[in-house]
Amino acid sequence: MNETKKLYLFANWKMYLGLEASYVLAKNIKEELANLNNGITMAVFPSTLALASVAAELKSTTIKVGAQNVYWVPEGGYTGEVSAEMFAATGAEYALIGHSERRHQCHETNHEVRQKIEAALTAGLTPVICIGETASEREAGSTAEVIETQLRSALGALAWRDGLPLLIAYEPVWAISRGVNKPGGHCSAVEAGKMHAVVEKIARELTGIAPAVLYGGSVRPETIAEYLATPHIAGVLVGAAATKFSSWSEITAAAVEAWR
Ligand code: PGA
């Protein structure tokens, strides 16, 4: 039994679920999964479209809600963007920042990631800072360098907000699913755990705070226990397998079991 440690079970619904499907999944989660052990934090990250309705549905529960992205200016003429403040006002408590799909498909830079982290902290949202190397960076042997650059840019000389945990998601880009039924490459729990130790060390040096490092990349009901049994893995950020109630409840059950 873990008395003091925390476990994070985070569900990134990406752009898989529309308004109605998001609401239905939130309702199922509320009805079936709302009574988790102490120490386990579950959060769902719906699309921007569905966030307010999901947050309203989960309001009276222990399940948290987060944004998948934020803009760094609080308000103004920024067509199509939504600010951290606006998400916070709907009940969101977290924000994914720098997810690899935004870095690589939307060309988000380390500098923009940094601005978004600062904006999230200002709005009182806990940023979940996503980092990870691509397949070609890994093949070139530059994983450690890429990770360090991303972390330095995200956290160097940053005043963290008191009371908010430092959450980092290590998501090797090559291991992320290519679709709901298309897992990415397999990053073993051992390999992930080694990277998490490196991430922890760098993040702690930069901030003075011990981070919780979550793993993300094709986590499935069959593999969750292995990741959670590995030192330095403080939780998971799950995409594809979190978008169906059946697999998310299996993941949750396996995590609760592993946490005993
Ligand atoms: P996946 O996504 O579980 O579908 O691989 C994880 C993520 O990208 O956050």
Side-chain angles (χ1 to χ4, degrees):
M1 171 73 89
N2 288 279
E3 306 266 323
T4 50
K5 278 179 64 184
K6 287 192 185 308
L7 171 68
Y8 296 91
L9 285 183
F10 282 6
N12 175 10
W13 295 351
K14 305 193 179 184
M15 205 181 72
Y16 286 125
L17 305 175
L19 183 61
E20 178 65 18
S22 300
Y23 173 76
V24 169
L25 181 53
K27 197 165 170 337
N28 284 335
I29 290 173
K30 173 180 166 176
E31 284 164 5
E32 307 285 339
L33 304 178
N35 294 314
L36 296 176
N37 319 29
N38 282 343
I40 300 185
T41 303
M42 182 185 287
V44 300
F45 295 77
S47 71
T48 300
L49 174 71
L51 189 136
S53 108
V54 168
E57 180 61 17
L58 297 175
K59 196 171 179 180
S60 54
T61 75
T62 55
I63 297 157
K64 312 287 187 192
V65 177
Q68 294 180 10
N69 177 39
V70 302
Y71 199 60
W72 58 83
V73 177
E75 62 170 51
Y78 300 92
T79 303
E81 301 291 351
V82 179
S83 70
E85 275 77 5
M86 290 171 178
F87 284 115
T90 65
E93 293 181 47
Y94 296 91
L96 300 181
I97 308 283
H99 189 279
S100 67
E101 286 154 11
R102 295 209 56 82
R103 290 181 188 262
H104 300 295
Q105 292 163 13
C106 307
H107 310 292
E108 204 166 285
T109 63
N110 278 330
H111 175 67
E112 287 167 344
V113 168
R114 169 62 178 248
Q115 286 178 287
K116 291 181 177 193
I117 293 169
E118 291 180 10
L121 292 171
T122 303
L125 297 176
T126 298
V128 182
I129 303 165
C130 303
I131 58 169
E133 80 286 1
T134 63
S136 55
E137 287 163 345
R138 181 174 183 239
E139 277 150 29
S142 51
T143 297
E145 194 186 318
V146 169
I147 297 302
E148 178 154 4
T149 304
Q150 290 175 341
L151 284 171
R152 283 196 181 283
S153 169
L155 297 173
L158 178 68
W160 200 254
R161 186 165 169 147
D162 279 353
L164 297 185
L166 174 55
L167 302 184
I168 299 169
Y170 171 62
E171 301 199 297
V173 181
W174 49 272
I176 292 177
S177 309
R178 268 94 182 123
V180 170
N181 296 315
K182 290 192 196 142
H186 180 62
C187 178
S188 72
V190 172
E191 184 173 355
K194 280 187 192 149
M195 278 314 300
H196 283 217
V198 173
V199 172
E200 270 177 17
K201 184 168 175 287
I202 299 171
R204 196 196 294 245
E205 277 167 13
L206 290 169
T207 61
I209 303 168
V213 185
L214 285 61
Y215 172 75
S218 300
V219 173
R220 296 287 184 272
E222 325 64 271
T223 56
I224 174 95
E226 184 189 332
Y227 289 111
L228 296 185
T230 304
H232 307 289
I233 298 185
V236 283
L237 177 57
V238 184
T243 60
K244 289 205 179 84
F245 181 70
S246 55
S247 47
W248 184 240
S249 61
E250 281 177 47
I251 284 176
T252 305
V256 167
E257 194 53 39
W259 195 241
R260 278 182 209 287

